[in-house]
Amino acid sequence: MKIFILAIFFSVNAFADTYKLDSRNGEMSGLAIGKPSLMKIKIEGPGPSGVLTENQNAVSGFLTLNLKDLKTGIDLRDRHMKEKYLEIGKFPEAQLHLMNLKIIDSNVEQIFTGNLVLKGESKPVSGTYKLNDGKLLAKFTFSIKDYPIATPKYLGIEVTDKVEIEINSKITRE
């Protein structure tokens, strides 16, 4: 009986589709706005890498973003962001854990829910995504107050707690 159950388990998983993202084939951008809104910090970097697996018509998995590659356009601000606020020496990556996505390649915007892991803390996030011609476009917003991150300040201007993230990446079916 055990062999029969194992055979069914492995045969179902053998036919599960997987989708891969490679950081070399995408980009991530973010936007943090100051209070007052005089300061807008654009954050850019390569897209995430990861594997999503489809089982029973739903896709789950995780995307990993290398925080060392993020840039804002100002070297000193980059160093502060990475060393002081994100502490990339201890936490070099962020992960977005996704659950129960529907893969519909029709350029129709869908809603997703998942968890964003940043600085060792996992918090729920939601956003939108769409697939078209092998490209994944996703958007979500998170609050830096949900994570152990000090509020970034410069010359009396603070960054608001909301950071908008956009992912534009090639996704391949394996």
Side-chain angles (χ1 to χ4, degrees):
M1 182 67 170
K2 285 182 185 179
I3 293 173
F4 177 71
I5 293 171
L6 286 173
I8 290 173
F9 174 77
F10 285 114
S11 66
V12 168
N13 284 329
F15 295 109
D17 286 326
T18 58
Y19 301 86
K20 289 191 178 182
L21 285 89
D22 185 327
S23 63
R24 297 171 294 185
N25 296 322
E27 58 192 23
M28 187 283 314
S29 63
L31 182 64
I33 299 173
K35 290 188 293 191
S37 61
L38 301 170
M39 178 175 64
K40 294 184 180 182
I41 302 171
K42 186 161 172 95
I43 305 162
E44 297 179 327
S49 59
V51 176
L52 304 173
T53 304
E54 184 174 17
N55 280 313
Q56 299 175 355
N57 298 322
V59 175
S60 299
F62 63 91
L63 306 178
T64 301
L65 181 67
N66 183 344
L67 300 175
K68 293 183 236 179
D69 295 333
L70 298 180
K71 298 195 182 310
T72 65
I74 299 174
D75 291 339
L76 180 61
R77 185 167 56 198
D78 290 351
R79 192 168 70 237
H80 286 168
M81 174 183 64
K82 293 174 188 179
E83 294 172 7
K84 182 177 180 181
Y85 299 110
L86 296 177
E87 298 181 79
I88 63 168
K90 290 189 227 175
F91 308 102
E93 23 182 70
Q95 285 193 337
L96 181 59
H97 293 250
L98 301 169
M99 299 159 282
N100 300 318
L101 296 180
K102 300 295 181 199
I103 298 294
I104 303 169
D105 192 11
S106 64
N107 206 26
V108 174
E109 196 167 77
Q110 305 286 317
I111 294 173
F112 77 85
T113 58
N115 287 311
L116 177 64
V117 180
L118 184 60
K119 289 188 74 174
E121 298 280 330
S122 178
K123 301 291 180 179
V125 294
S126 62
T128 61
Y129 73 97
K130 61 183 171 179
L131 293 167
N132 192 21
D133 294 329
K135 290 286 244 178
L136 169 69
L137 304 167
K139 297 178 185 180
F140 67 95
T141 301
F142 73 93
S143 173
I144 60 174
K145 289 182 179 180
D146 288 343
Y147 300 90
I149 300 173
T151 302
K153 298 177 190 178
Y154 181 72
L155 296 175
I157 299 174
E158 289 185 359
V159 170
T160 62
D161 65 323
K162 301 291 184 199
V163 178
E164 300 169 11
I165 301 293
E166 289 189 23
I167 296 170
N168 182 352
S169 190
K170 182 178 178 183
I171 185 168
T172 56
R173 188 178 203 160
E174 300 288 312

